[in-house]
Amino acid sequence: MPAKVNCKYVLRYFDRIGVAEGSKLLLTAADVEWKEEHPVWPQEKHKQPFGRMPVLVESHSDGSPDFVICESGSIERFLARTYGFIPNDIHQAAIQEQLRDQASDMFAAFISQLVAKSEEDHKENFAKFEGLLTKLVEVQTKQLRENGTNGYLFGNRLTYADIITYAFYKIILVGMVKRQANIVDVVRPRLTAEIVKLISTIESDSLLASYMSRSDSLAAVVRPPAKF
Amino acid sequence: MSNPTYILRYFPLVGLSEACRLLLTAANVEWTEEHPEWPQEKPNQPHGRLPVLVEKNPDGSPDFIITESCNIERYLARVYGFVPADPKQAARQEQICELMADVFSYLSGYIRASSDESKQMFLGKFEALLETLIEVQTKLIEGNGNNGRQFGDSLSYADMVAYGFYKKLMIAMARFDANVPKFVKSKLTPKITQLIATVEADPLLEKHTSKAESLAAAVSV
């Protein structure tokens, strides 16, 4: 699908690797004009439609009103559909979208264990996070194998499913490391060779070069440590 | 060509799947519910969780199986025309549904937390975001011509998800904490109450609403 002309984007979020990461990757891959804004928080909370971020603003050179969308999953699906990273076929789209919902649930459980206020809550939520991660890895690996272990989840080029898979591992293994130093030791051993291959394939995709050149490498984090 | 038939696998509760039940009903397709033995049937589900939707096609092709409640709702809404195909219009509805899912996940966090401190944290987030949601939905309904709908002039995906959401809060969550429905009811605006009544009265949903507990009654003064 050709890129839409005469529109540009602003993605409002915090200046960090978080739930807006998938949207940043999609905007990059779509090859549209876009920039990030980091509203002062919480002073600019009331200026956002839902008092939250991320927020995507699409503006048009013909002066038509801005199109504003909130909620990370909805922003991603809008971009993926508009710029051709998700199939038009509703069945195929649902198969890709459920991978995002599964990864997002895993991430929500990760956050729950991170912010848990008591030891008991932390243990419970950590166990839930581990269970969801195990299943997520199993489902992703099965799909990667069924697709011929070519580094992509579907077909032989970058799709929405690849992007969000990369994004959620990036958030946890690069974005969250400062807040939970041991998370790499928890997650990395569980990643299968197929997932590591997906990560390095996505990271070297030419469509994402401008994002990757200014972002820390996830592939470097998940590469199995060298044995001497 | 006849429509596919569906099986919705879930627990027999007004849980995460009420909106799915409404969408299947509104789509006017043949569907049944299955309540798999749990956790014995866990490994047989695509993501080891429920709900799961099985679509059986009359042409004999393999069953099409999807999972994740919001994904199932979006799929049914798109296939049966309850959300526009245009990505912008779809996004406008989807963002409201995603906001509702976020509110519910704070509520789940509150219900599931063991420590008082965690409970208080989640409760605070739930209450604040619910107020935001109600404000957003109220404005939508007012901007949509005060017809008791968030979008357009016929039953929509977002309206069915909203009904399912408020039903979860007012009826399903009551068994965990009676204060939840009390709080929610105190925050509802007349526009939200009107939305609930409009959805419940829709002829497309009669088969379901005629045998389910009335949410409109639960929220009325």
Side-chain angles (χ1 to χ4, degrees), chain A residues 29 39 43 51 60 70 73 87 92 95-97 99 119 126 145 171 177 185 207 214 220 223:
Chain A
Q43 290 86 330
H60 316 105
C70 310
Q92 292 181 48
I95 295 295
Q96 291 204 24
E97 290 177 27
L99 290 172
E119 190 53 46
F126 188 80
R145 285 189 187 149
I171 303 169
V177 160
D185 294 332
L207 288 179
R214 47 187 176 78
R223 215 164 280 142

Side-chain angles (χ1 to χ4, degrees), chain A residues 37-227:
Chain A
E37 261 176 24
H38 309 299
V40 182
W41 210 259
Q43 290 86 330
E44 305 205 42
K45 200 168 149 69
H46 68 281
K47 289 187 188 167
Q48 316 309 325
F50 295 176
R52 312 172 87 200
M53 298 195 291
V55 175
L56 182 77
V57 182
E58 179 188 279
S59 60
H60 316 105
S61 56
D62 65 359
S64 53
D66 288 350
F67 173 69
V68 183
I69 277 297
C70 310
E71 300 292 314
S72 59
S74 300
I75 292 171
E76 285 173 12
R77 283 187 300 271
F78 165 71
L79 291 169
R81 288 171 188 156
T82 303
Y83 294 100
F85 290 98
I86 202 167
N88 287 323
D89 177 82
I90 299 172
H91 292 75
Q92 292 181 48
I95 295 295
Q96 291 204 24
E97 290 177 27
Q98 71 188 16
L99 290 172
R100 197 274 182 190
D101 288 352
Q102 190 189 19
S104 152
D105 276 357
M106 179 276 292
F107 179 64
F110 167 80
I111 292 293
S112 289
Q113 61 86 36
L114 181 70
V115 305
K117 299 272 182 251
S118 72
E119 190 53 46
E120 192 186 347
D121 277 325
H122 171 78
K123 268 169 97 171
E124 233 176 81
N125 284 300
F126 188 80
K128 182 172 182 191
F129 158 66
E130 278 193 308
L132 291 175
L133 176 64
T134 300
K135 192 66 187 180
L136 180 70
V137 166
E138 183 191 311
V139 167
Q140 291 170 343
T141 301
K142 179 167 183 272
Q143 180 57 44
L144 287 162
R145 285 189 187 149
E146 279 174 13
N147 197 46
T149 317
N150 62 358
Y152 299 103
L153 281 158
F154 300 95
N156 55 9
R157 66 172 186 91
L158 189 67
T159 63
Y160 172 63
D162 298 320
I163 286 172
I164 57 88
T165 299
Y166 179 93
F168 278 101
Y169 286 124
K170 178 103 184 229
I171 303 169
I172 292 177
L173 294 171
V174 178
M176 291 282 147
V177 160
K178 281 200 196 86
R179 295 179 65 182
Q180 189 160 351
N182 75 337
I183 198 59
V184 175
D185 294 332
V186 168
V187 177
R188 179 170 54 195
R190 305 172 113 96
L191 298 184
T192 54
E194 288 85 351
I195 292 175
V196 173
K197 180 169 181 173
L198 172 140
I199 288 170
S200 69
T201 304
I202 302 320
E203 204 158 283
S204 44
D205 196 301
S206 56
L207 288 179
L208 296 171
S210 64
Y211 166 95
M212 298 298 174
S213 65
R214 47 187 176 78
S215 191
D216 290 337
S217 169
L218 173 63
V221 173
V222 304
R223 215 164 280 142
K227 294 183 171 73

Side-chain angles (χ1 to χ4, degrees), chain B residues 65-115:
Chain B
I65 301 175
I66 54 172
T67 186
E68 304 293 337
S69 58
C70 295
N71 184 53
I72 293 171
E73 289 163 12
R74 284 191 305 266
Y75 172 75
L76 290 171
R78 296 177 79 195
V79 170
Y80 292 101
F82 291 103
V83 70
D86 169 57
K88 283 196 162 78
Q89 291 189 64
R92 287 198 181 98
Q93 293 203 28
E94 287 180 24
Q95 68 180 348
I96 306 296
C97 296
E98 201 173 334
L99 182 60
M100 284 188 270
D102 284 351
V103 175
F104 187 72
S105 83
Y106 282 147
L107 180 59
S108 295
Y110 162 69
I111 303 279
R112 277 187 354 248
S114 311
S115 70

Side-chain angles (χ1 to χ4, degrees), chain B residues 130-197:
Chain B
L130 177 69
E131 289 183 15
T132 297
L133 170 74
I134 288 173
E135 194 184 315
V136 165
Q137 289 181 313
T138 299
K139 276 205 202 107
L140 264 178
I141 295 163
E142 285 166 352
N144 193 44
N146 269 325
N147 60 358
R149 306 182 191 280
Q150 293 174 100
F151 298 95
D153 51 18
S154 61
L155 188 63
S156 68
Y157 155 65
D159 283 350
M160 283 185 268
V161 172
Y163 184 95
F165 167 80
Y166 285 109
K167 193 157 194 182
K168 277 189 291 201
L169 264 50
M170 292 299 300
I171 295 174
M173 290 296 117
R175 48 193 263 269
F176 294 107
D177 187 334
N179 290 316
V180 170
K182 272 196 206 124
F183 173 78
V184 174
K185 191 167 171 180
S186 75
K187 294 292 172 184
L188 294 183
T189 57
K191 291 283 166 263
I192 305 285
T193 309
Q194 187 194 4
L195 166 69
I196 288 167

